[in-house]
Amino acid sequence: MNTKDLIKPILLIALSLFLSFSVSAQSGADFYPVGYYRDAVRFSQQNPTGSARIRALGGAGVSLGGDVSHAMLNPAGLGFMRKSEYHLSAGVGLTNSSASGEGISGDAGQTRFFLPQLGAVFSSSKSSNGDGSKWRGGAFAITLNRIADFNSDVSYTDRSGNPTSILNSFEESAYGSSQAFMDVEKRFGASSFGGMAYELDLIKPIFYTDANDPSYQDPNAYYYNIGRDADGFTTSRITQRSQMIETRGGQYEAAFAYGGNFDDKLYLGAKMGVQNVSYSKNSQYVELRDSELTYLGLGESFSTTGWGINFQAGLIWRPIDAIRVGATFTSPTWYALNDYYSASLQRTADYTWNDSTYQANHFKDGQSYVYNPDGLDLYNPNAVNDTQRYSGTRVSNHSEIRTRYNMNTPWKASGGISGFLGKKGFITLDVEYVGYSAMKISNGTTYYFENTINEERIEENFAGDNYILGEEYRNTINLRVGGEYRLSRNFMLRAGYAYYQDPTKEEYRFVDQSRSFYSGGLGYRNNNFYADFAVIYSQWKSTESPYQLEDNFVDGDGNTILIYPIIDMDYSRTEFQLSVGKRF
C-alpha cells in the first residue's frame, strides 16, 4: 500500500474513526469538515437487491420484467405480470473480515438472519382480445426491500511499533478550544473529544492561565499531550494496540410502484420509495505500555437513524420477442437523519509530571514539537515549576450528543438489454450510472446535554463536508450481468456477476474499495407457485484507523508519510436466500 501523497490536509483533520466534531464549534472556523461526509457516502452505496431469482442473476433485470423485484429495479417490468402474487424472501449471511499489515493480524466473523424482500403484486392485466384498445392494463406492487447490509465485525492486534498515539489525536482535537471551555469540560463532564483527555490530565495547556487572565477565554489556545518527545511522539512507546469494531444495521426501502403494458411492446412504470436507515457502530480501542501510561482505552458508540424518500421512472421496449431494452432514472433520496455519539475514555497511569522541566527539555530552541498549524513559538519559559503525581485508574465519559441534519444521496440512471433464446433461457445485462455529485449535507443542528437545563444547540456548517464530497468523490458505473437456462419445464438454473465501482477518486484512497458479487441459483415454477434459491458471494477491501492525524511526518523529498495506524482489511460475505411466491 503506497501511503505517500494520498490524502490532502482537508481530509486529515478528521480525528475519530466514527465522527469528527470540528473545532469550528469553539473557534468559529467555517470550512473544516464536521465529519458527516462519511454518512453521505455510506448511505449512498447499495448492494444488488431483490428476489432470489434476481439476485442469482447478479441483480440484473432492468430490461427483464415479470418479477416482484421490479417494483424497485424497474417499475415498468410490473407490466409483464399477468397474475397477482404474494412474495416472501428470507436469508442468512456470513460476513468475515481479515486484518493485515506490518505487525498487524486479526480475523473476525459473524452470521445474521435477514429478510431481503417481501411484498405483493396486484395485477389488472387485460387480454389483447378485448375492446380493441392497445392498453393492456398493468400491475401495482407494494414491497419492502433490503438495499444495504452494514453487519460486520473487525478485530485486530497491532504490534507494528507505530510511534504515534491517540494522545496525538486528543492534542489536535483540543486545538482552538479556550482554557475556559476545557476547564468547564473537566468540571462538569466532557462533551468533546479533547475534553475527555483534558479531564484525565492527558493533555495540558501550554500557556496555563487563571480565570482572571483575559487569555483564559482566548479560543486560540494550544495544548500538548503528556507523552510528546522531541520527535513529536510519545515517550513511553506503545507495546501493543488493539481494536474491536461491531457494526450493525441496514437500509430498507418500501416501494409503491405501478407498471403498465401498451400493446405488449412498450411498458411504462413509476415508483415512490420510502427508505429507512438503521446503523450502529461500537468500537473498543486500547493502547498498552510497559510503564507510565500503562493502559489507555477509548470506547465509542455511534448510530444513525432516519427516513428518506425518492422517485423512479422506467420503461421497457420489446421490439421483437427475443429482445427487450429497458431504462430507468432514480432521483436522489432526500433524507432526514439523526446521528448519536457517546464515548468513554479510561486510563491507568503511574508517573510524575513537571510542566517547567518538560517544556525546558522539549520546547526550547524555537521548535515546539506540538501540533502547531500556525507555526508559532510555543515555548513557555514561565511554565509552572510544580511536580505532580498521577496514578491509578480514572474514567471520563463523553455525554451523548445528537446531530439532526438533511442529506441527499446520488441520482441513478440505468440501462439494460435482455436477449431470449426461445424458451430455453435468456441473458440480461445492466449498466448503472451513479451521480455521486448530487451528494449534499445541509441544515444541521447538534444538541449537547439534550433534555437537561444545560441543553445547548449549535448550528453546523457543512461547507467543509460538501467540499470533500465534491473534491474527493466521482460518479461511477456499476455493471450487472446474468443468465438463466431452463433445465426442464419447471426447473431453471441461473448465474450472475455484479461489479460496483469505488466512488473515491484514486488520489484520495488507500485501496480500491470496489465490490464484486458472484451469484448462482436454482428456480422452480408452476402455474400458481414458485420457489427460488440463490447463493451470493461478495468481496471487497477497505482500511481501518483507530484515529487520524493532520500533523504527519514529511520526508526530505516533500512526500507526506501518513504515520497514524492504517490497517488493511479484506472482507467477504456469503449469503443464502430463499424466495417463495403464490400467484392468485
Side-chain angles (χ1 to χ4, degrees):
M1 178 179 63
N2 182 9
T3 60
K4 295 184 178 182
D5 295 329
L6 292 179
I7 304 292
K8 290 185 176 180
I10 187 64
L11 175 59
L12 296 181
I13 71 163
L15 299 175
S16 166
L17 176 66
F18 296 88
L19 187 63
S20 297
F21 294 106
S22 172
V23 297
S24 62
Q26 288 85 41
S27 68
D30 60 0
F31 186 68
Y32 293 139
V34 185
Y36 295 96
Y37 64 90
R38 297 187 188 92
D39 285 354
V41 177
R42 178 186 304 117
F43 302 135
S44 296
Q45 296 178 291
Q46 299 170 356
N47 300 327
T49 187
S51 65
R53 178 192 183 213
I54 293 297
R55 296 199 71 197
L57 297 171
V62 166
S63 59
L64 196 57
D67 191 281
V68 64
S69 301
H70 285 91
M72 272 204 59
L73 192 58
N74 182 354
L78 297 173
F80 286 84
M81 303 188 72
R82 300 299 179 93
K83 290 186 176 182
S84 302
E85 68 177 58
Y86 299 116
H87 174 91
L88 173 65
S89 292
V92 62
L94 296 81
T95 306
N96 295 298
S97 67
S98 179
S100 62
E102 183 179 352
I104 299 169
S105 61
D107 297 289
Q110 57 95 24
T111 302
R112 306 286 290 184
F113 173 81
F114 59 89
L115 291 173
Q117 189 177 64
L118 59 90
V121 178
F122 304 95
S123 176
S124 59
S125 176
K126 299 178 181 178
S127 170
S128 60
N129 297 323
D131 57 7
S133 172
K134 293 186 177 182
W135 180 251
R136 307 286 192 245
F140 175 74
I142 303 175
T143 64
L144 178 64
N145 311 272
R146 186 195 66 152
I147 59 176
D149 188 313
F150 304 124
N151 295 290
S152 68
D153 289 342
V154 169
S155 178
Y156 67 85
T157 300
D158 179 358
R159 298 184 179 90
S160 64
N162 185 292
T164 68
S165 164
I166 199 171
L167 291 171
N168 303 109
S169 182
F170 292 138
E171 178 187 293
E172 291 190 6
S173 177
Y175 168 72
S177 298
S178 70
Q179 189 182 328
F181 172 81
M182 298 295 274
D183 283 346
V184 170
E185 294 272 275
K186 188 171 186 177
R187 181 178 179 184
F188 296 105
S191 63
S192 68
F193 199 56
M196 291 188 294
Y198 190 81
E199 182 180 353
L200 298 185
D201 299 306
L202 296 173
I203 58 174
K204 294 179 176 295
I206 292 176
F207 297 98
Y208 181 84
T209 57
D210 60 41
N212 296 319
D213 194 309
S215 62
Y216 187 66
Q217 303 286 344
D218 186 356
N220 297 312
Y222 283 81
Y223 299 83
Y224 68 93
N225 74 69
I226 62 171
R228 270 192 179 267
D229 64 11
D231 296 319
F233 305 128
T234 55
T235 53
S236 178
R237 296 298 170 90
I238 297 169
T239 57
Q240 176 180 301
R241 70 181 90 225
S242 61
Q243 188 174 26
M244 296 182 64
I245 305 170
E246 180 184 274
T247 306
R248 297 290 183 266
Q251 279 176 279
Y252 284 82
E253 177 172 301
F256 304 87
Y258 179 83
N261 175 357
F262 184 80
D263 198 27
D264 294 324
K265 294 291 185 182
L266 181 65
Y267 303 81
L268 303 172
K271 178 210 74 174
M272 180 183 74
V274 179
Q275 291 192 5
N276 173 260
V277 168
S278 177
Y279 172 87
S280 67
K281 188 171 189 178
N282 296 296
S283 168
Q284 294 292 329
Y285 172 71
V286 173
E287 294 179 354
L288 300 179
R289 296 168 173 83
D290 291 334
S291 62
E292 297 181 343
L293 186 61
T294 55
Y295 179 92
L296 182 60
L298 175 67
E300 295 180 285
S301 178
F302 175 70
S303 64
T304 302
T305 60
W307 295 86
I309 188 171
N310 62 50
F311 299 92
Q312 183 186 65
L315 61 85
I316 297 175
W317 178 46
R318 184 167 67 173
I320 59 176
D321 288 345
I323 298 293
R324 298 178 189 178
V325 180
T328 66
F329 178 83
T330 307
S331 73
T333 300
W334 296 280
Y335 271 113
L337 298 174
N338 285 279
D339 281 3
Y340 301 85
Y341 176 83
S342 61
S344 179
L345 180 66
Q346 178 178 324
R347 63 97 165 136
T348 300
D350 186 11
Y351 57 89
T352 58
W353 194 262
N354 184 296
D355 275 351
S356 178
T357 301
Y358 185 87
Q359 292 215 19
N361 289 338
H362 297 291
F363 287 9
K364 273 187 175 182
D365 304 323
Q367 192 167 3
S368 66
Y369 309 105
V370 174
Y371 176 64
N372 186 5
D374 296 324
L376 303 180
D377 181 5
L378 298 180
Y379 173 54
N380 179 15
N382 300 315
V384 177
N385 186 12
D386 179 24
T387 300
Q388 300 180 25
R389 182 178 182 83
Y390 300 97
S391 62
T393 299
R394 291 182 57 195
V395 177
S396 174
N397 293 312
H398 186 309
S399 59
E400 183 178 80
I401 63 176
R402 177 175 71 93
T403 301
R404 174 183 54 81
Y405 60 102
N406 295 335
M407 182 185 76
N408 299 351
T409 67
W411 55 267
K412 299 177 183 179
S414 300
I417 185 169
S418 298
F420 287 79
L421 310 173
K423 294 186 177 182
K424 281 294 185 179
F426 60 81
I427 297 175
T428 184
L429 170 69
D430 291 351
V431 179
E432 180 179 65
Y433 188 83
V434 185
Y436 281 93
S437 59
M439 292 188 297
K440 185 179 179 181
I441 311 167
S442 61
N443 302 326
T445 303
T446 297
Y447 299 81
Y448 296 86
F449 307 108
E450 193 171 17
N451 300 319
T452 71
I453 60 174
N454 298 316
E455 179 175 318
E456 183 179 0
R457 302 181 182 184
I458 295 178
E459 299 300 317
E460 297 290 355
N461 186 333
F462 292 120
D465 292 84
N466 288 323
Y467 171 82
I468 286 181
L469 291 175
E471 170 68 18
E472 300 185 8
Y473 295 92
R474 59 180 180 173
N475 298 338
T476 64
I477 295 177
N478 299 331
L479 300 175
R480 299 184 294 263
V481 61
E484 178 180 287
Y485 179 75
R486 185 179 292 273
L487 298 172
S488 66
R489 179 179 178 183
N490 300 109
F491 290 93
M492 283 71 66
L493 177 67
R494 305 180 182 110
Y497 172 76
Y499 178 80
Y500 279 39
Q501 194 175 26
D502 183 357
T504 309
K505 293 179 181 177
E506 185 174 356
E507 61 267 31
Y508 292 107
R509 68 190 185 203
F510 296 119
V511 297
D512 186 347
Q513 300 187 45
S514 300
R515 297 192 176 201
S516 293
F517 301 83
Y518 306 87
S519 57
L522 293 169
Y524 169 82
R525 270 164 170 67
N526 61 31
N527 289 335
N528 297 311
F529 173 81
Y530 63 85
D532 297 301
F533 177 74
V535 179
I536 306 98
Y537 175 79
S538 57
Q539 57 184 15
W540 66 98
K541 295 180 180 292
S542 183
T543 59
E544 291 286 351
S545 294
Y547 53 87
Q548 294 179 339
L549 302 175
E550 180 182 4
D551 190 15
N552 294 285
F553 175 73
V554 179
D555 67 17
D557 297 326
N559 297 314
T560 299
I561 312 299
L562 302 181
I563 54 175
Y564 58 78
I566 301 170
I567 292 85
D568 292 315
M569 298 298 306
D570 288 282
Y571 292 91
S572 65
R573 176 176 293 151
T574 304
E575 297 176 90
F576 303 93
Q577 181 172 329
L578 176 66
S579 299
V580 294
K582 172 67 175 176
R583 297 189 178 98
F584 61 95

